Amino acid sequence: MSETLKGKINYYTYYNDENGYSIIRLADNTTVIGNLPKINSGESVEFTGIWVTHPKYGRQFKVESYNVSYPTTRAGIINYLGSGLIKGIGKSTAEKIYNQFGEQTLDILDAQINRLVEVEGIGYKKLDMIKKGWEEQQGVKTVMLFLQSHGISTAYSLKIYKTYGAKAPEIIEENPYRLINDVWGIGFKVADEIARKMGFSDHHPARIKAGIVFALDEIARSGHTYSPESDLINFCTQLLRFELVYSDPILQELEDEGMIIHKEGKVFLSELYYAERGIEEAIKLLSKPPLELNSGEKKSLHLISKRFSPEQLEAIRLSFENKLLIITGGPGTGKTTALKGIIDIYKSRSKSILLTAPTGRAAKRMTEVIGLEAKTIHRMLEYNPSDNSFGFNQFNKLETDLLIVDEVSMIDTVLMYRLITAVDEGTTVVLVGDIDQLPSVGPGNVLKDLISSDLIPAIKLNKIFRQAEQSDIVLNAHRINKGEMPSFNALKNTDFVFLEEKNNSVIPEKILHLAKIELPNRLKLDCLEDIQILSPMYKGEAGVNNLNRLFQSGINDSPVVLMRGEKKFKAGDKIMQLRNNYDKGVFNGDIGFITGFDDENKMLNTTFDGKFVQYALDEIDEVTLAYAVTVHKSQGSEYPCVIMPLTTSHYIMLQRNLLYTAITRASKLLIIIGSKNAIGMAVKNNKVENRFTHLFKQ
């Protein structure tokens, strides 16, 4: 039978951000357990629940529901206000506010908050911040009670409140499946659980529609731009827990609403269908019959002919004959040199030039090797995050004589649509990429499909230049690409090092020793700036997650500045951004460092390439530790030194293009630690997962 328990929060023994499971110690030493939001220390709470006995920890109170009341004592009020509840109020400010208003403090905040300017150190700017934080907190409390009653994870509560405000209960009750699209991080499973508790039936139209769209989204996350009808039906049948049929009227409703396109046994998300069609139309519009070189162009080619290989010279010539050109090739084959030749001729003729790449890291690298500023595609097209629009588009074209796009293998279908439809018909476009690398993280296989279309002249550079021939990284990359085992050079001066280790459990510590001690001492490499750990997978002993935990404890002695459930962040931690955040100007895959925590404003302070970036508490899940990252996340980057564990336990991910991509990320030194069997498995496995795409396949 349920009982009530009143007490004051002392501290949390454990808190799980994912589901809110909490172990709380009250001021009287009672232990309270249950799924709860993060309640601030010092708050007085009335719990409803039952007493249980844990075999190890003894008597505990298991919570079913709760109500929070304001603290009344000096210590309680100061602890409550200074606990991280409100931006602008830290411990010292909380003490000053209490000293000014005493026991009336919380009533003042509720009814006369403008009087806070009477407190020393609080001006009108800070007052505005505190007012906003207090109003938000009151709104969150109301919404939280609603969310808690429907089992919504506390990790999402503030996000939901920020998205919907005080109308959150009303919006969620009407259609909880909106959360999937509106709140980053909430998927179908969470929304479905909320809907179930609200009484939505399994066959509710909103549920079926959300399930179909979610399934197509998940299929797109795997790289596909459409799903075969049968695959989608199977996916949805498992997701929805009942058999969906082709003739279900919901499919037709979604098409009538413009959400999906259903053609010839293929089902597309509308955005992806129209993006592919838009690329096709733009390519056909830009494609022109080859032009004859004029006398000036012939003279320019003759003057530079001795500086380039026949392949490179052919690439340069093709760039003057065609408005569209693809240049592809592996490391050391002179793609950059060929580009410089094209650029030099355009510059000598006073032509305008734009350079672009899909990521900030790739654009920065392009700037360094070519010597002209390169911009990200979003920056070049003047993306506006407030309304998801692009300043340059099909109605307002880019004006330039030459556009060079690097790392095209990384560009997904939607981004290529945005780019190619913004190109003026008079512009020459040179697309550059390595066809043998991993395809884009987003849906599509654009570079491969463009080459296969035969609508765009494409040249593959194969000759490895003398300087590159001195690199075992380059030579082995080409061997692997041909399906041959790499050469394990025993010489000390090789840049491709293989360390055999069959015992997986010792690999993480060996990697830590290499990065922390041996390489910095022997080669003067900086553990954080120069060395990057790449792993094929997140899980496992030599996976990204375990390596990050090991490195954080092994090389960073700084104190923890923030705990989020089981995750902890320290000043000096190497981090990676996990999604594009255009407001902050940081993008998926960008590497940065934590500099500290602003306790007064409750913000995590970081830097990305020297730029100061702050994260509110509900934005922390946008970043993760990056001492180690996956090979997929390393695309477009280059590091002086890469250390890569490779074991047979990674067998699911052991593919030739993954190994090839990983080793070509290293510019000076590559160290693989693991087994030759694992390398052999990757080299032999050239069964690249087929992506369902419809670009130029009608």
Side-chain angles (χ1 to χ4, degrees):
M1 186 173 174
S2 295
E3 300 181 36
T4 59
L5 173 69
K6 292 182 180 180
K8 190 176 292 184
I9 302 295
N10 189 7
Y11 62 88
Y12 275 69
T13 301
Y14 175 79
Y15 181 73
N16 186 323
D17 252 337
E18 297 301 316
N19 56 22
Y21 182 75
S22 308
I23 303 174
I24 303 170
R25 191 61 58 89
L26 301 183
D28 65 359
N29 225 27
T30 301
T31 298
V32 172
I33 61 171
N35 294 82
L36 295 161
K38 197 71 179 284
I39 306 169
N40 295 284
S41 299
E43 291 201 69
S44 297
V45 187
E46 182 178 276
F47 299 103
T48 300
I50 58 172
W51 288 99
V52 296
T53 301
H54 190 280
K56 183 176 180 181
Y57 299 110
R59 199 163 183 250
Q60 301 173 329
F61 192 79
K62 187 176 181 181
V63 175
E64 295 168 350
S65 63
Y66 77 101
N67 280 303
V68 178
S69 57
Y70 285 147
T72 55
T73 65
R74 171 189 168 86
I77 292 171
I78 290 173
N79 203 16
Y80 175 70
L81 288 180
S83 64
L85 184 71
I86 307 157
K87 288 181 184 178
I89 302 182
K91 284 281 172 66
S92 62
T93 304
E95 286 183 5
K96 289 178 183 178
I97 293 172
Y98 185 87
N99 290 340
Q100 180 72 27
F101 299 115
E103 293 178 4
Q104 292 182 298
T105 293
L106 298 178
D107 293 330
I108 294 290
L109 283 165
D110 270 338
Q112 297 174 287
I113 197 166
N114 288 340
R115 287 188 60 192
L116 287 181
V117 292
E118 297 172 22
V119 177
E120 181 189 353
I122 297 181
Y124 287 102
K125 186 176 179 181
K126 193 167 188 176
L127 172 66
D128 286 342
M129 183 189 297
I130 294 171
K131 281 171 74 173
K132 185 179 177 183
W134 182 254
E135 288 167 9
E136 187 175 82
Q137 182 62 25
Q138 302 317 296
V140 168
K141 277 193 175 181
T142 304
V143 172
M144 281 286 290
L145 289 171
F146 168 80
L147 300 179
Q148 177 203 358
S149 68
H150 293 292
I152 297 177
S153 164
T154 57
Y156 300 126
S157 298
L158 189 54
K159 286 185 173 187
I160 292 170
Y161 178 77
K162 281 191 171 182
T163 302
Y164 300 135
K167 291 185 177 179
E170 176 187 332
I171 291 169
I172 295 171
E173 281 183 325
E174 182 185 349
N175 183 4
Y177 295 101
R178 281 186 56 175
L179 291 166
I180 301 169
N181 293 322
D182 294 347
V183 182
W184 186 72
I186 292 185
F188 182 83
K189 186 178 178 182
V190 173
D192 199 36
E193 181 65 19
I194 296 164
R196 187 183 62 79
K197 290 182 178 179
M198 288 181 168
F200 279 66
S201 72
D202 279 359
H203 292 268
H204 194 288
R207 181 175 188 266
I208 300 173
K209 284 183 180 180
I212 293 168
V213 173
F214 177 78
L216 286 170
D217 270 327
E218 288 297 291
I219 288 164
R221 287 177 196 276
S222 298
H224 310 291
T225 61
Y226 73 87
S227 172
E229 196 177 62
S230 57
D231 289 1
L232 178 64
I233 294 297
N234 291 337
F235 193 127
C236 290
T237 296
Q238 290 183 12
L239 183 70
L240 298 171
R241 301 187 299 277
F242 67 83
E243 190 171 354
L244 193 71
V245 294
Y246 302 130
S247 57
D248 195 304
I250 294 292
L251 281 163
Q252 186 59 52
E253 280 184 38
L254 282 170
E255 189 158 16
D256 292 342
E257 292 167 7
M259 296 292 291
I260 66 171
I261 302 291
H262 193 181
K263 279 182 179 282
E264 299 170 355
K266 302 177 180 70
V267 187
F268 302 76
L269 286 170
S270 294
E271 180 187 31
L272 294 176
Y273 177 82
Y274 289 116
E276 285 190 327
R277 306 295 76 75
I279 294 169
E280 289 169 349
E281 290 172 17
I283 293 293
K284 287 171 184 174
L285 196 65
L286 292 169
S287 296
K288 310 285 184 190
L291 302 167
E292 289 224 7
L293 298 183
N294 60 41
S295 58
E297 290 165 342
K298 289 178 181 177
K299 184 178 179 182
S300 296
L301 281 173
H302 178 71
L303 289 172
I304 66 169
S305 59
K306 292 181 180 178
R307 291 166 42 200
F308 300 94
S309 71
E311 282 182 342
Q312 290 172 325
L313 205 60
E314 176 70 358
I316 296 168
R317 183 183 64 78
L318 286 171
S319 75
F320 288 103
E321 289 182 347
N322 300 277
K323 285 296 181 184
L324 281 171
L325 173 67
I326 295 172
I327 301 176
T328 185
T333 57
K335 296 191 298 293
T336 300
T337 304
L339 288 182
K340 285 180 177 178
I342 296 168
I343 289 168
D344 285 347
I345 295 176
Y346 269 77
K347 283 168 71 176
S348 70
R349 297 164 64 200
S350 300
K351 299 285 187 178
S352 55
I353 303 165
L354 285 177
L355 308 182
T356 191
T359 67
R361 292 165 296 149
K364 184 179 178 183
R365 221 174 101 207
M366 197 179 185
T367 300
E368 290 167 352
V369 298
I370 290 181
L372 290 177
E373 183 190 13
K375 297 179 180 179
T376 63
I377 294 171
H378 282 86
R379 186 175 160 213
M380 183 185 70
L381 296 180
E382 296 184 358
Y383 177 73
N384 183 355
S386 64
D387 61 359
N388 196 32
S389 67
F390 290 80
F392 291 103
N393 50 50
Q394 62 266 48
F395 307 110
N396 182 34
K397 307 274 189 173
L398 287 164
E399 291 185 8
T400 186
D401 295 308
L402 174 66
L403 173 64
I404 295 178
V405 188
D406 200 11
E407 296 286 2
V408 177
S409 63
M410 294 180 67
I411 301 178
D412 64 27
T413 300
V414 175
L415 187 55
M416 178 55 79
Y417 165 74
R418 293 293 189 181
L419 173 65
I420 205 69
T421 55
V423 175
D424 186 78
E425 286 185 55
T427 299
T428 294
V429 182
V430 179
L431 304 172
V432 188
D434 188 341
I435 192 66
D436 298 310
Q437 284 190 28
L438 290 168
S440 59
V441 174
N445 204 345
V446 173
L447 181 59
K448 181 176 180 291
D449 287 346
L450 289 178
I451 292 173
S452 300
S453 73
D454 289 330
L455 291 173
I456 304 175
I459 181 166
K460 184 169 186 178
L461 305 182
N462 293 298
K463 176 180 167 55
I464 303 173
F465 284 83
R466 188 177 303 166
Q467 187 176 355
E469 283 181 336
Q470 297 170 11
S471 166
D472 288 327
I473 291 174
V474 171
L475 295 177
N476 281 330
H478 286 273
R479 285 194 185 97
I480 288 166
N481 209 20
K482 294 174 186 173
E484 300 171 5
M485 281 292 283
S487 171
F488 303 112
N489 192 337
L491 298 175
K492 289 184 179 179
N493 63 352
T494 182
D495 59 2
F496 186 104
V497 176
F498 172 70
L499 302 176
E500 187 155 22
E501 180 51 69
K502 294 179 181 177
N503 184 351
N504 292 356
S505 64
V506 304
I507 288 176
E509 287 289 351
K510 287 197 170 186
I511 292 174
L512 178 62
H513 179 77
L514 280 168
K516 181 181 179 180
I517 298 169
E518 194 164 342
L519 294 174
N521 288 345
R522 289 177 58 186
L523 301 177
K524 307 302 180 190
L525 291 172
D526 184 276
C527 181
L528 295 180
E529 296 285 353
D530 298 329
I531 300 170
Q532 183 60 57
I533 316 303
L534 300 183
S535 179
M537 298 175 68
Y538 283 102
K539 296 180 180 179
E541 290 174 309
V544 165
N545 296 337
N546 188 50
L547 287 166
N548 274 323
R549 284 191 290 268
L550 178 67
F551 266 68
Q552 186 185 51
S553 61
I555 70 172
N556 191 349
D557 297 328
S558 300
V560 173
V561 296
L562 182 66
M563 289 284 295
R564 300 299 286 170
E566 296 178 346
K567 293 180 182 178
K568 57 185 176 183
F569 295 99
K570 298 180 178 182
D573 272 341
K574 188 177 186 179
I575 55 171
M576 174 179 278
Q577 176 75 12
L578 294 175
R579 65 185 291 243
N580 289 339
N581 188 320
Y582 299 101
D583 292 323
K584 296 183 188 298
V586 287
F587 304 96
N588 190 358
D590 283 354
I591 298 285
F593 293 90
I594 293 174
T595 58
F597 185 74
D598 181 347
D599 186 58
E600 193 87 343
N601 298 305
K602 313 305 171 193
M603 303 287 276
L604 185 69
N605 296 336
T606 71
T607 59
F608 284 83
D609 278 332
K611 182 172 69 174
F612 181 64
V613 180
Q614 289 188 308
Y615 292 85
L617 293 178
D618 64 308
E619 298 173 323
I620 302 301
D621 57 354
E622 291 190 17
V623 296
T624 190
L625 295 179
Y627 299 101
V629 301
T630 63
V631 178
H632 284 82
K633 284 289 188 183
S634 73
Q635 284 178 268
S637 293
E638 190 173 81
Y639 314 99
C641 174
V642 166
I643 305 176
M644 184 185 188
L646 206 67
T647 73
T648 52
S649 65
H650 295 137
Y651 69 93
I652 296 173
M653 299 299 294
L654 293 180
Q655 295 175 338
R656 187 185 300 174
N657 61 353
L658 182 134
L659 179 58
Y660 174 80
T661 300
I663 68 176
T664 54
R665 300 308 90 203
S667 62
K668 294 181 180 176
L669 177 63
L670 173 80
I671 300 174
I672 295 178
I673 179 168
S675 73
K676 288 183 181 178
N677 282 343
I679 295 175
M681 288 169 68
V683 170
K684 289 175 186 175
N685 183 9
N686 199 31
K687 294 179 182 177
V688 179
E689 185 180 351
N690 184 43
R691 291 190 168 192
F692 294 120
T693 66
H694 205 54
L695 190 61
F696 293 112
K697 295 175 184 175
Q698 295 192 80

